[in-house]
Amino acid sequence: MSDTVKYLLDESRLPKTWYNINADLPKPMAPVLHPGTQQPVTPDDLAPLFPRAVIEQEMSTEREIEIPEPVREVYRQWRPSPLYRARRLEKALGTPARIYYKYEGVSPTGSHKPNTAIPQAFYNKQEGVKRITTETGAGQWGSSLALAGALFGLEIVVYMVRVSFQQKPYRRAFMETFGAQCIPSPSDTTEAGRAILGKNPDSTGSLGIAISEAVEMAAQRDDTKYALGSVLNHVLLHQTVIGLEAMEQLAMADDYPDMVIGCTGGGSNFAGIVFPFLGEQLRGGRKVDVIAVEPSACPTLTKGRFAYDFGDTAHLTPLTKMHTLGSAFVPPGFHAGGLRYHGMAPQVSHLADLGYIDPRAYNQIECFQAGIQFAKAEGIIPAPEANHAVKGAIDEALKCKESGEAKTILFNLCGHGNFDMQAYTDFLAGKLEELEYDEGEAAMALAGLPSVNA
Amino acid sequence: MSDTVKYLLDESRLPKTWYNINADLPKPMAPVLHPGTQQPVTPDDLAPLFPRAVIEQEMSTEREIEIPEPVREVYRQWRPSPLYRARRLEKALGTPARIYYKYEGVSPTGSHKPNTAIPQAFYNKQEGVKRITTETGAGQWGSSLALAGALFGLEIVVYMVRVSFQQKPYRRAFMETFGAQCIPSPSDTTEAGRAILGKNPDSTGSLGIAISEAVEMAAQRDDTKYALGSVLNHVLLHQTVIGLEAMEQLAMADDYPDMVIGCTGGGSNFAGIVFPFLGEQLRGGRKVDVIAVEPSACPTLTKGRFAYDFGDTAHLTPLTKMHTLGSAFVPPGFHAGGLRYHGMAPQVSHLADLGYIDPRAYNQIECFQAGIQFAKAEGIIPAPEANHAVKGAIDEALKCKESGEAKTILFNLCGHGNFDMQAYTDFLAGKLEELEYDEGEAAMALAGLPSVNA
């Protein structure tokens, strides 16, 4: 058999619908609560922030939701994305396992994020919105929304955590090349930003502050809405195009996964590859082992509590029941910036709570080691986030080597590492620390969970 | 018609042979001369540096040269690369022209360079070579050879121009992630390097010095050969896979180019897309306008002399007849590092001299403007080198707008700009200069051409 095995779906087989796992949940999710009343939120509560179509998707229990044709048109630029059999990695490991990876790094921004940026921009444009605000940390999400804004003719305003804005000028340039405005947060463009700067003019910012600024700006203006790049149901929904394609591609290989593996930060790339397979199981179909790999420096699923919490540190968002380390928890500065979130998508949390997801935590050094082994064998340098999924897959493949089982392993390689070479530089120079989370700090953050949990 | 029009060839239609334009030249090329004897070089002269199979290709006049199956196997990871119709750009320009671009940024290193790195590594491995040395400036070629070395199990030693080594640590990390050794040049690992450092311990290096070091290291060791990433016949040959695929993809669109456009530095990506179409014309088939776009800061084809010259500044290489600004010419430091070469591929020069190629020169600012217009319309940020081809294509499309002609324009988008965001940052901040070449300096460099031209 050839060493390069690539499964490419014909464009005509690009999915026509996303898959909504809410249709197949064995037990309904806890409702999202209004932060003031602690009552379930209504569509009207969300209307200042999101277009109607997005709110409908957020609350829908329809199994299949149509992908609008203009969205499929943009998807077709890089989708269906390739599924690879990692033959050279299998040989290097000496494993009888069959390892497949879905590669989302082929998108114009190098990750899975445009899968949801494109439809979010489309629905906003359709409803006459002129401008979308958002926040970004490492910059991957902001870049993807900037791309979507350029393609659909929308103004994009990205509040970028000030320390990242300073450390990652290339991400800023990437967004600006697409015509987006990129503002270091905290800024003097919002009340929230001015309040922080008033107290601390040198504030380096945080994702929580940047969310507050983006939300405030959107809520104030009729022609402006807000967009989020992970966590919410509609975001996970849009990402299911990944798993739906992978399922078809594995059928081309006459194969089906024994296990599906993804890295988890907010949960969107993980849900994207996992939910279609998990849905199959929930509907009585074939069972899969689902493995969520998270950083041990931000171990939301393995060490967090399943409880109602805020999505942001400033407590402006609705309350969602999810695995959380506490909204006041600040993870240490490890290199997989996309996984540095105190919470987890409510859908992922719910399914983990029900026992459908097996979470694992690894430190960043072992993940970079796995990533470099993967790069040497497969020729692609993964993003630091994706290295967590690689590590999970390699560990499972090595278990197969021990047991002699020829299991089928599928994982999501959610992005390439082109914008993360500083992390590789540090790793190669021996400068990376293992970085574990601070249990005491997490305990304090968890002690501050909202009263609705009492 | 849809806005995203992508032509993907089935893997089974990946070319089985490269196209060698030497078979169809209307007039034979001037021979390559030995730098000492000034007599035509023999295969034995080149044997210390290149494997036998590569030397045969360098001198071959066979029209079709088989692509070895292990090379096709690696090619299949990202090849056939997509051909896009730039519908959104056409609309933005309001042109009746049909603009197609072949996208080579889908390779693991983000450019066309692996098309030749892979076969060069393969032939070396096949002939028992243990180690390949090379030089790199901006790092795109070194990264691609590093990738090839990892896949074929060869040691790769890259001499990287010291100033680039310091300015582009990410490229170094990229190479090291694949296991390559990256040495800042001048270094103390070679006579040539030590001689330079003896005179000037703070030397920032040059491509000429790095070539000397790589060649010296290869010539000294039986288990070590040297590889070059552009200019030579065999390199251009390997790149023809680009144009061969594009020809098949245009046939899927029931179209054929009126003009083919590429940017030119050493000439390899340009030849890759152009030669299959030009060969068709040379064999009596359909005529195409061939446009070579070069930087006005290094205007080899538009301002250089067609004469015998050295490939390096240290005068260690054979003499080839080519368009040159003089081997002593040092181009100003504009951002398209891949186009900063004093000479031009002898095959490209020969065909330009015969009138088959129409060269154009643009400055970097107008090229970045074109690149950003392209990015906003098509969603891909091009490499600064590729911006030259984009600029050429946009100018031709605007001419069509004026004349009302619906011409078919094909250009090569040879790489993405992920590793070049500093250049975009500078452009967006208004810090880029137009940078023209210094005519006086070029005149002096040309005055130093070797005596064989007399």
Side-chain angles (χ1 to χ4, degrees):
Chain A
M1 183 197 268
S2 163
D3 270 1
T4 301
V5 191
K6 176 174 66 174
Y7 298 96
L8 266 188
L9 282 184
D10 186 80
E11 217 173 79
S12 63
R13 290 166 74 191
L14 177 69
K16 292 192 167 59
T17 55
W18 292 297
Y19 166 64
N20 180 9
I21 202 161
N22 278 354
D24 294 316
L25 293 176
K27 187 184 145 186
M29 287 171 62
V32 177
L33 303 181
H34 189 284
T37 65
Q38 300 199 343
Q39 293 302 304
V41 291
T42 65
D44 285 350
D45 292 333
L46 300 174
L49 294 185
F50 300 108
R52 186 193 44 74
V54 161
I55 296 169
E56 270 173 27
Q57 290 180 355
E58 186 64 21
M59 300 184 160
S60 171
T61 53
E62 290 292 312
R63 182 171 292 120
E64 293 185 334
I65 294 181
E66 194 191 339
I67 307 176
E69 191 45 39
V71 171
R72 296 180 77 232
E73 218 169 74
V74 179
Y75 275 180
R76 274 196 287 267
Q77 186 169 343
W78 70 94
R79 307 209 70 88
S81 68
L83 177 83
Y84 291 102
R85 169 96 182 262
R87 289 278 298 168
R88 287 188 295 256
L89 180 63
E90 292 170 15
K91 280 189 195 170
L93 296 171
T95 179
R98 290 184 298 281
I99 308 175
Y100 297 88
Y101 61 98
K102 181 75 167 164
Y103 185 41
E104 291 293 306
V106 293
S107 87
T109 61
S111 82
H112 64 293
K113 291 291 186 193
N115 294 336
T116 183
I118 299 300
Q120 289 197 58
F122 167 76
Y123 291 123
N124 275 287
K125 181 72 179 180
Q126 204 183 29
E127 297 185 24
V129 174
K130 294 272 181 294
R131 188 182 299 103
I132 306 179
T133 64
T134 197
E135 70 289 328
T136 203
Q140 188 55 263
W141 164 243
S143 299
S144 300
L145 197 64
L147 163 74
L151 298 183
F152 286 102
L154 284 157
E155 280 180 46
I156 304 294
V157 181
V158 182
Y159 287 92
M160 187 167 187
V161 176
R162 186 177 291 272
V163 60
S164 300
F165 182 88
Q166 287 160 346
Q167 286 174 349
K168 304 205 167 192
Y170 296 167
R171 275 295 182 190
R172 175 193 171 185
F174 200 96
M175 293 181 244
E176 290 182 349
T177 295
F178 285 120
Q181 192 185 356
C182 182
I183 301 173
S185 167
S187 76
D188 61 5
T189 64
T190 64
E191 286 290 333
R194 285 188 292 270
I196 301 280
L197 288 173
K199 285 184 217 155
N200 178 10
D202 297 327
S203 168
T204 53
S206 73
L207 215 43
I209 296 168
I211 293 178
S212 304
E213 292 205 273
V215 166
E216 180 186 322
M217 178 67 81
Q220 273 180 357
R221 300 193 186 186
D222 279 349
D223 61 356
T224 304
K225 302 276 183 196
Y226 167 75
L228 196 69
S230 189
V231 178
L232 298 182
N233 297 353
H234 67 274
V235 180
L236 275 54
L237 171 77
H238 300 156
Q239 295 294 354
T240 58
V241 67
I242 301 171
L244 291 167
E245 288 178 5
M247 198 176 268
E248 279 215 62
Q249 288 164 312
L250 281 170
M252 290 166 73
D254 204 16
D255 213 336
Y256 197 88
D258 294 300
M259 60 190 86
V260 186
I261 301 172
C263 64
T264 47
S268 78
N269 97 79
F270 170 81
I273 194 150
V274 157
F275 280 6
F277 293 96
L278 202 47
E280 189 67 25
Q281 172 179 346
L282 292 171
R283 292 190 301 277
R286 194 162 155 182
K287 197 186 163 312
V288 283
D289 292 333
V290 171
I291 299 171
V293 185
E294 62 185 13
S296 53
C298 189
T300 320
L301 283 168
T302 52
K303 305 269 189 174
R305 193 174 301 164
F306 184 50
Y308 272 107
D309 199 3
F310 291 97
D312 67 329
T313 48
H315 296 186
L316 295 173
T317 69
L319 292 163
T320 50
K321 195 167 182 191
M322 59 181 177
H323 284 83
T324 178
L325 295 163
S327 63
F329 177 76
V330 179
F334 57 93
H335 271 293
L339 308 183
R340 291 183 68 234
Y341 186 62
H342 70 274
M344 180 52 58
Q347 286 179 328
V348 173
S349 294
H350 183 68
L351 286 159
D353 186 59
L354 294 175
Y356 289 97
I357 293 169
D358 176 13
R360 313 265 169 91
Y362 294 103
N363 74 58
Q364 64 177 351
I365 291 188
E366 54 195 346
C367 291
F368 272 95
Q369 284 164 342
I372 286 180
Q373 183 171 26
F374 178 85
K376 286 184 178 166
E378 296 295 319
I380 298 170
I381 300 180
E385 292 82 1
N387 281 342
H388 290 74
V390 172
K391 171 66 179 163
I394 287 179
D395 270 18
E396 288 300 320
L398 291 175
K399 282 185 205 163
C400 287
K401 183 179 183 177
E402 216 159 287
S403 68
E405 289 172 288
K407 288 190 178 177
T408 298
I409 299 170
L410 169 67
F411 75 93
N412 195 21
L413 193 71
C414 61
H416 62 57
N418 287 5
F419 287 97
D420 305 286
M421 294 314 295
Q422 185 59 51
Y424 282 89
T425 302
D426 291 350
F427 174 79
L428 292 165
K431 286 184 190 162
L432 279 202
E433 293 174 81
E434 288 196 353
L435 288 181
E436 297 293 333
Y437 90 123
D438 184 323
E439 284 192 51
E441 203 193 314
M444 270 174 56
L446 286 173
L449 285 181
S451 60
V452 67
N453 293 301
Chain B
M1 184 197 264
S2 163
D3 270 0
T4 301
V5 191
K6 176 175 68 175
Y7 298 95
L8 267 187
L9 281 184
D10 187 80
E11 219 174 76
S12 63
R13 291 167 72 192
L14 177 70
K16 292 192 167 61
T17 55
W18 292 297
Y19 166 64
N20 180 9
I21 202 161
N22 278 353
D24 294 316
L25 293 177
K27 185 184 148 186
M29 288 170 61
V32 177
L33 303 181
H34 189 284
T37 65
Q38 300 197 344
Q39 293 302 304
V41 291
T42 65
D44 284 351
D45 291 333
L46 300 173
L49 293 185
F50 300 108
R52 185 192 44 74
V54 162
I55 297 169
E56 270 173 28
Q57 290 180 355
E58 186 64 23
M59 299 184 161
S60 171
T61 53
E62 289 292 313
R63 182 171 292 121
E64 295 185 332
I65 294 181
E66 194 191 339
I67 308 177
E69 191 45 39
V71 171
R72 295 181 78 232
E73 219 169 74
V74 179
Y75 274 0
R76 274 197 288 267
Q77 184 168 346
W78 70 94
R79 305 209 72 88
S81 68
L83 177 83
Y84 290 102
R85 169 94 182 263
R87 288 279 298 166
R88 288 189 295 257
L89 179 63
E90 291 169 17
K91 281 188 196 172
L93 296 171
T95 178
R98 291 184 298 282
I99 308 175
Y100 297 88
Y101 59 98
K102 181 75 168 164
Y103 185 40
E104 291 294 307
V106 293
S107 86
T109 62
S111 82
H112 64 293
K113 291 292 186 192
N115 294 336
T116 183
I118 300 297
Q120 289 198 57
F122 167 76
Y123 292 122
N124 274 287
K125 182 72 180 181
Q126 204 183 28
E127 297 185 24
V129 174
K130 295 271 182 291
R131 188 183 300 104
I132 305 180
T133 65
T134 197
E135 70 289 329
T136 203
Q140 188 56 264
W141 164 243
S143 299
S144 300
L145 197 64
L147 163 73
L151 298 182
F152 286 103
L154 284 157
E155 281 179 45
I156 303 294
V157 181
V158 182
Y159 287 92
M160 187 168 187
V161 176
R162 185 177 293 271
V163 60
S164 300
F165 183 89
Q166 286 159 347
Q167 285 174 350
K168 304 206 167 193
Y170 297 168
R171 275 295 182 189
R172 175 192 171 185
F174 200 97
M175 294 182 243
E176 290 181 350
T177 296
F178 285 119
Q181 192 185 354
C182 181
I183 302 173
S185 166
S187 76
D188 60 5
T189 65
T190 64
E191 286 291 335
R194 284 189 293 268
I196 302 280
L197 288 173
K199 283 183 220 159
N200 177 10
D202 299 325
S203 167
T204 53
S206 74
L207 215 44
I209 297 168
I211 294 178
S212 304
E213 292 205 274
V215 165
E216 179 186 323
M217 178 67 80
Q220 272 178 358
R221 300 192 187 187
D222 280 349
D223 60 357
T224 304
K225 301 277 183 196
Y226 167 76
L228 196 68
S230 189
V231 179
L232 298 181
N233 297 354
H234 68 274
V235 179
L236 275 53
L237 171 78
H238 300 156
Q239 295 294 355
T240 58
V241 67
I242 301 171
L244 291 167
E245 288 178 4
M247 198 175 268
E248 278 215 61
Q249 287 164 312
L250 282 170
M252 290 166 73
D254 203 16
D255 214 336
Y256 197 87
D258 294 301
M259 61 190 85
V260 186
I261 300 172
C263 63
T264 45
S268 78
N269 97 79
F270 170 81
I273 195 149
V274 158
F275 281 5
F277 293 96
L278 202 46
E280 189 67 24
Q281 172 178 344
L282 292 172
R283 291 190 302 276
R286 195 162 155 180
K287 197 185 164 310
V288 284
D289 291 333
V290 171
I291 299 171
V293 186
E294 61 184 14
S296 54
C298 190
T300 320
L301 282 167
T302 52
K303 305 270 189 174
R305 193 173 301 165
F306 184 49
Y308 272 107
D309 199 4
F310 292 96
D312 68 330
T313 48
H315 296 186
L316 295 173
T317 69
L319 291 164
T320 52
K321 195 164 182 193
M322 60 181 175
H323 284 82
T324 178
L325 295 163
S327 63
F329 178 76
V330 179
F334 58 93
H335 272 293
L339 308 183
R340 291 183 70 235
Y341 186 62
H342 70 275
M344 181 51 58
Q347 286 179 329
V348 173
S349 295
H350 182 68
L351 286 159
D353 186 58
L354 294 175
Y356 289 97
I357 294 171
D358 176 13
R360 312 266 169 91
Y362 293 103
N363 74 58
Q364 63 177 351
I365 291 187
E366 54 196 346
C367 291
F368 273 94
Q369 283 164 342
I372 286 179
Q373 182 170 27
F374 178 86
K376 285 183 178 167
E378 296 294 318
I380 298 170
I381 301 180
E385 291 81 2
N387 281 344
H388 290 72
V390 172
K391 171 67 179 163
I394 287 179
D395 270 18
E396 288 300 319
L398 291 176
K399 282 185 205 165
C400 287
K401 183 179 182 176
E402 217 159 287
S403 68
E405 289 172 288
K407 288 190 178 176
T408 298
I409 299 171
L410 168 67
F411 76 92
N412 195 21
L413 192 72
C414 62
H416 62 58
N418 287 3
F419 287 98
D420 305 286
M421 294 314 294
Q422 185 60 51
Y424 281 91
T425 303
D426 291 350
F427 174 79
L428 292 165
K431 286 186 191 159
L432 277 202
E433 294 174 80
E434 288 196 352
L435 287 182
E436 298 293 332
Y437 90 123
D438 184 323
E439 286 192 47
E441 203 192 314
M444 269 174 55
L446 285 172
L449 285 180
S451 59
V452 66
N453 293 300

